[in-house]
Amino acid sequence: MGAEEGPAAVKLNDLSFTYPGIDGHPPRGSKPLIEGLSLSLHAGDRCLLVGSNGAGKTTILKIIGGKHMVGVDMVRVLGRSAFHDTTLTSSGDLSYLGGEWRRDVAFAGFEVPIQMDISAEKMIFGVSGVDPQRRDELVKVLDIDLSWRMHKSSDGQRRRVQICMGLLRPYKVLLLDEITVDLDVLARSNLLKFLKKECEVRGATIIYATHIFDGLDDWPSHIVYLAHGKLQLALPMEKVKEMSNLSLMRTVESWLRKEREEDKKRRKEREEKGLPKHDRPVDGTRLVGDPARAAARVMNNGWAGGRLHSTLAGEENFFFSSNTVLRQ
């Protein structure tokens, strides 16, 4: 995919991935969540990542964003290892914007929405080393009122501030995961125009995962379709239009309907063979066994809150490290 000239901005080489258990290894018998995925995108490409819920879109974006460890050569961004080269994100060359804007707050909880009593102006202008002209353009594109207070703003208003802060520094590769879900029609349209200009003028590469296709028919340069963690299709948008006379939304809808029918047929065949409809999931957090004891016991999957040791479910005085337990 992408232009043939020059090195790939994003390159996936036979990527396979399974979420690890507590010991850092995939649970025995688990199937790869992402399997055998190869893909190349070049400077200026605008890739639309599509697929049903659970297809693996968010996981792939996080892997490309360096948030999950994979082999050094499985995922290369700008010629560097996505996970192992931390300068990709620290320099701003690689930027990831996810669907949630949250933080962990001591004694309050995890994943608390950003809605403290602070103005949009203080948050946006608090980012140092930013080109003032680019900052002003983004504030205008997203129609942000700098007097907004985060604890009084709507979800859409907070989303605009999040996007603005995420785009303040010029990037070379941008990953977007359902980032426009809270935006109104006008804000979304203006943002998409800005992102398209970023690719055409600066040569940025953007991968955008979304389920909202209104106004996207002429936005992407490439389409990537995933199903069950496997690549089903990766084509330039011109080729997709040649394959289908339908709109982008109807085209993707036809792919997903066909996928759904195939899944139903597969489940029916399993039932006819006396098998359960769905494969039995492998629980990667269920750990059993204590080498120091004869009886195997079920353990939790992490550290007990407020302690520096893991605990046995229902027993608070268990000090055996969960790093050395045996998997069932």
Side-chain angles (χ1 to χ4, degrees), residues 216-274:
L216 280 181
D217 288 80
D218 296 322
W219 187 86
S221 62
H222 295 80
I223 300 289
V224 171
Y225 168 43
L226 297 173
H228 306 298
K230 295 182 179 180
L231 181 65
Q232 306 296 317
L233 178 147
L235 290 174
M237 189 61 189
E238 292 80 5
K239 296 290 185 181
V240 175
K241 290 181 178 179
E242 291 176 5
M243 292 169 51
S244 173
N245 294 323
L246 302 174
S247 66
L248 177 60
M249 186 185 75
R250 295 304 180 190
T251 299
V252 174
E253 180 185 352
S254 67
W255 297 342
L256 297 183
R257 287 193 182 279
K258 182 180 178 181
E259 176 188 332
R260 183 72 58 84
E261 291 302 318
E262 291 175 350
D263 287 344
K264 288 182 179 179
K265 181 180 179 181
R266 191 178 302 111
R267 290 196 294 268
K268 184 177 180 180
E269 291 175 351
R270 288 178 61 89
E271 278 190 300
E272 291 174 351
K273 294 179 181 179

Side-chain angles (χ1 to χ4, degrees), residues 51-111:
S52 60
N53 294 340
K57 302 185 299 297
T58 295
T59 300
I60 288 174
L61 288 179
K62 288 185 175 181
I63 291 173
I64 297 174
K67 299 181 182 295
H68 295 304
M69 185 172 66
V70 293
V72 175
D73 294 320
M74 274 190 174
V75 181
R76 309 289 292 185
V77 177
L78 303 174
R80 293 174 275 173
S81 174
F83 177 83
H84 298 82
D85 193 333
T86 57
T87 61
L88 277 169
T89 53
S90 63
S91 66
D93 288 345
L94 173 61
S95 181
Y96 173 91
L97 280 176
E100 299 294 336
W101 198 26
R102 301 172 181 271
R103 62 175 182 164
D104 296 341
V105 180
F107 305 107
F110 299 100
E111 300 294 310

Side-chain angles (χ1 to χ4, degrees), residues 87-258:
T87 61
L88 277 169
T89 53
S90 63
S91 66
D93 288 345
L94 173 61
S95 181
Y96 173 91
L97 280 176
E100 299 294 336
W101 198 26
R102 301 172 181 271
R103 62 175 182 164
D104 296 341
V105 180
F107 305 107
F110 299 100
E111 300 294 310
V112 177
I114 301 291
Q115 52 186 15
M116 59 279 200
D117 185 7
I118 186 174
S119 69
E121 180 179 19
K122 189 169 184 179
M123 295 195 73
I124 294 171
F125 281 72
V127 180
S128 60
V130 172
D131 178 9
Q133 185 176 352
R134 181 179 177 85
R135 179 179 59 205
D136 293 343
E137 182 181 7
L138 281 166
V139 170
K140 183 178 180 180
V141 166
L142 294 165
D143 194 21
I144 295 174
D145 184 341
L146 295 176
S147 66
W148 285 342
R149 309 297 295 188
M150 291 298 96
H151 70 303
K152 294 181 179 180
S153 300
S154 68
D155 291 339
Q157 290 170 336
R158 280 199 299 272
R159 178 76 70 187
R160 294 187 198 189
V161 176
Q162 174 197 9
I163 294 172
C164 179
M165 295 182 65
L167 302 181
L168 283 175
R169 291 196 175 94
Y171 47 81
K172 294 181 180 178
V173 175
L174 175 64
L175 310 173
L176 300 174
D177 187 10
E178 290 288 2
I179 198 64
T180 61
V181 66
D182 294 318
L183 299 184
D184 60 37
V185 174
L186 186 58
R188 182 172 177 272
S189 176
N190 290 340
L191 175 62
L192 291 174
K193 289 179 182 177
F194 175 83
L195 295 175
K196 187 172 183 178
K197 185 184 73 171
E198 290 273 273
C199 295
E200 294 175 344
V201 176
R202 294 202 303 105
T205 303
I206 298 179
I207 305 177
Y208 175 30
T210 185
H211 293 287
I212 305 173
F213 299 104
D214 293 340
L216 280 181
D217 288 80
D218 296 322
W219 187 86
S221 62
H222 295 80
I223 300 289
V224 171
Y225 168 43
L226 297 173
H228 306 298
K230 295 182 179 180
L231 181 65
Q232 306 296 317
L233 178 147
L235 290 174
M237 189 61 189
E238 292 80 5
K239 296 290 185 181
V240 175
K241 290 181 178 179
E242 291 176 5
M243 292 169 51
S244 173
N245 294 323
L246 302 174
S247 66
L248 177 60
M249 186 185 75
R250 295 304 180 190
T251 299
V252 174
E253 180 185 352
S254 67
W255 297 342
L256 297 183
R257 287 193 182 279
K258 182 180 178 181

